[in-house]
Amino acid sequence: MNLIQGTLILAIKIDMLRCFTMVATHGSLSEAADALGRTPSAVSMMLKQFEEHVGSALFETARKSRLTPIGELILNEARREVAHFENTVSVIEGLARSELGFLRLAVTPSVATSVLPTVIFRFAEMYPKVQIDLRDMDSATIARELDRERADIGIGSLPKMEGMQRTELFSDAFGLVCRKDHPLAENWDQLSWRTMGEHTIIANGLCEQITDPDFAPILARSRLMVPNTASLLGLVRQGVGITVLPRLAVAGSLDALAFLPLVDVKARRTVHLMSRPNSLLMPAAREFLKLITAMKRDGSLVLAS
């Protein structure tokens, strides 16, 4: 028997089920009334209405200490429905308070390693029941994930997109990345685009953001393009060539590598925070945006170097 099937769904209210289960559990109207925070007369009236809807007595005596056979059957269903309802209410309230929910983040690898750890640590402390899905990818893929609504928040070098709100999170300078024993690392304090000579250049997806005129011919002669940062740095470690990356893109990877500032570099990589308008976001995503924005404003957004 399922109480929410048929015409009963139009008449039976969750308060009736809750009242019935409480009386059956306590075995008396007065104790059930105390547990529900109601008067015994109110509980008795609600129980009477429920029995009228069911069309049968649910208790054998007026003392409500013993259930009828139909009452026993209905009690199991009533308890199940009350538990389901209370769990649903708990989930809804949790979502509204951002205690529960799902947060999908799409970020560049450098952001995932250098910026997000402190943010996620604080967010997880504030909302421990929120499930976080963090995926690192290049900026073009982040934009596609946002557009297809497969990510709630994106962090990367992102263009303006219709229907999205975008704010600048930080920017960092480009520099040369090479092995520490590379000849260019010896006199790096005077390193410029022109002093790169004929060294093998490994291009990457961020190179297109560099508009300095002297870099154009260097990029043009590159015969190797590697979008993935981990693979790119692996090739540089092996001595295949050198590359140009923003400072934070190599944060935590400078074991056998060197990041060399360029004296004539003008280009900077700008990282944006992007999402749909707040009104279209789940509460957890809104709270994450609020937190990272506040951390940027008060200077607690740590950018690992």
Side-chain angles (χ1 to χ4, degrees), residues 240-254:
V240 174
I242 61 177
T243 193
V244 179
L245 284 170
R247 178 177 63 86
L248 288 178
V250 293
S253 302
L254 299 178

Side-chain angles (χ1 to χ4, degrees), residues 182-235:
H182 193 280
L184 289 175
E186 297 178 3
N187 299 306
W188 64 267
D189 57 330
Q190 295 299 317
L191 188 63
S192 67
W193 296 126
R194 295 180 181 179
T195 56
M196 286 187 182
E198 296 301 316
H199 296 284
T200 301
I201 300 293
I202 307 175
N204 60 78
L206 293 172
C207 288
E208 63 184 26
Q209 297 187 30
I210 303 174
T211 57
D212 296 1
D214 290 336
F215 180 67
I218 296 173
L219 184 61
R221 61 181 173 81
S222 173
R223 295 296 177 265
L224 185 57
M225 170 66 179
V226 183
N228 182 274
T229 303
S231 300
L232 174 66
L233 296 180
L235 292 174

Side-chain angles (χ1 to χ4, degrees), residues 35 58 76 78 95 104 124 132 151 206 262 287 297:
L58 300 175
N76 292 330
L95 286 170
R104 301 169 300 171
I132 301 174
L206 293 172
L262 297 159
E287 293 302 317
R297 185 169 53 249

Side-chain angles (χ1 to χ4, degrees), residues 23-29 44 47-48 51 58-67:
V23 173
T25 299
H26 290 278
S28 77
L29 287 174
S44 178
L47 188 60
K48 182 180 179 180
E51 289 181 324
L58 300 175
F59 294 91
E60 290 187 353
T61 66
R63 295 180 60 188
K64 313 301 182 186
S65 58
R66 291 186 60 183
L67 290 164

Side-chain angles (χ1 to χ4, degrees), residues 32-298:
D34 288 340
L36 291 168
R38 298 186 178 184
T39 63
S41 60
V43 172
S44 178
M45 182 179 298
M46 182 70 70
L47 188 60
K48 182 180 179 180
Q49 290 176 351
F50 185 38
E51 289 181 324
E52 290 175 352
H53 285 303
V54 173
S56 176
L58 300 175
F59 294 91
E60 290 187 353
T61 66
R63 295 180 60 188
K64 313 301 182 186
S65 58
R66 291 186 60 183
L67 290 164
T68 61
I70 187 66
E72 291 280 2
L73 293 174
I74 290 176
L75 179 61
N76 292 330
E77 292 295 325
R79 281 176 171 162
R80 185 179 298 114
E81 294 299 329
V82 170
H84 175 71
F85 176 81
E86 291 178 347
N87 180 67
T88 300
V89 171
S90 176
V91 170
I92 291 172
E93 292 177 343
L95 286 170
R97 295 192 301 265
S98 301
E99 292 177 358
L100 299 173
F102 194 73
L103 174 63
R104 301 169 300 171
L105 301 174
V107 304
T108 57
S110 61
V111 169
T113 57
S114 63
V115 179
L116 282 192
T118 55
V119 183
I120 290 181
F121 178 79
R122 288 182 56 177
F123 185 80
E125 281 190 322
M126 296 167 63
Y127 307 105
K129 295 183 181 180
V130 172
Q131 183 176 347
I132 301 174
D133 175 27
L134 171 62
R135 292 171 292 147
D136 60 84
M137 57 193 71
D138 61 73
S139 294
T141 305
I142 292 173
R144 287 196 297 271
E145 293 297 283
L146 287 169
D147 184 58
R148 296 171 183 173
E149 299 186 23
R150 293 197 295 229
D152 302 308
I153 297 171
I155 307 178
S157 299
L158 303 169
K160 290 183 178 181
M161 296 173 58
E162 185 177 354
M164 297 287 178
Q165 55 184 17
R166 185 186 73 157
T167 58
E168 181 178 330
L169 195 60
F170 67 88
S171 69
D172 53 348
F174 282 91
L176 176 69
V177 181
C178 64
R179 288 170 56 104
K180 288 184 177 178
D181 58 1
H182 193 280
L184 289 175
E186 297 178 3
N187 299 306
W188 64 267
D189 57 330
Q190 295 299 317
L191 188 63
S192 67
W193 296 126
R194 295 180 181 179
T195 56
M196 286 187 182
E198 296 301 316
H199 296 284
T200 301
I201 300 293
I202 307 175
N204 60 78
L206 293 172
C207 288
E208 63 184 26
Q209 297 187 30
I210 303 174
T211 57
D212 296 1
D214 290 336
F215 180 67
I218 296 173
L219 184 61
R221 61 181 173 81
S222 173
R223 295 296 177 265
L224 185 57
M225 170 66 179
V226 183
N228 182 274
T229 303
S231 300
L232 174 66
L233 296 180
L235 292 174
V236 176
R237 286 192 189 94
Q238 191 61 37
V240 174
I242 61 177
T243 193
V244 179
L245 284 170
R247 178 177 63 86
L248 288 178
V250 293
S253 302
L254 299 178
D255 42 12
L257 302 178
F259 177 82
L260 311 178
L262 297 159
V263 296
D264 58 350
V265 67
K266 297 179 181 178
R268 295 180 66 88
R269 187 262 307 253
T270 301
V271 173
H272 301 99
L273 188 65
M274 181 176 284
S275 70
R276 296 189 179 278
N278 277 3
S279 60
L280 301 179
L281 293 176
M282 293 289 286
R286 292 201 299 267
E287 293 302 317
F288 186 87
L289 284 176
K290 186 188 300 182
L291 173 62
I292 195 171
T293 301
M295 291 178 68
K296 176 192 174 185
R297 185 169 53 249
D298 65 22

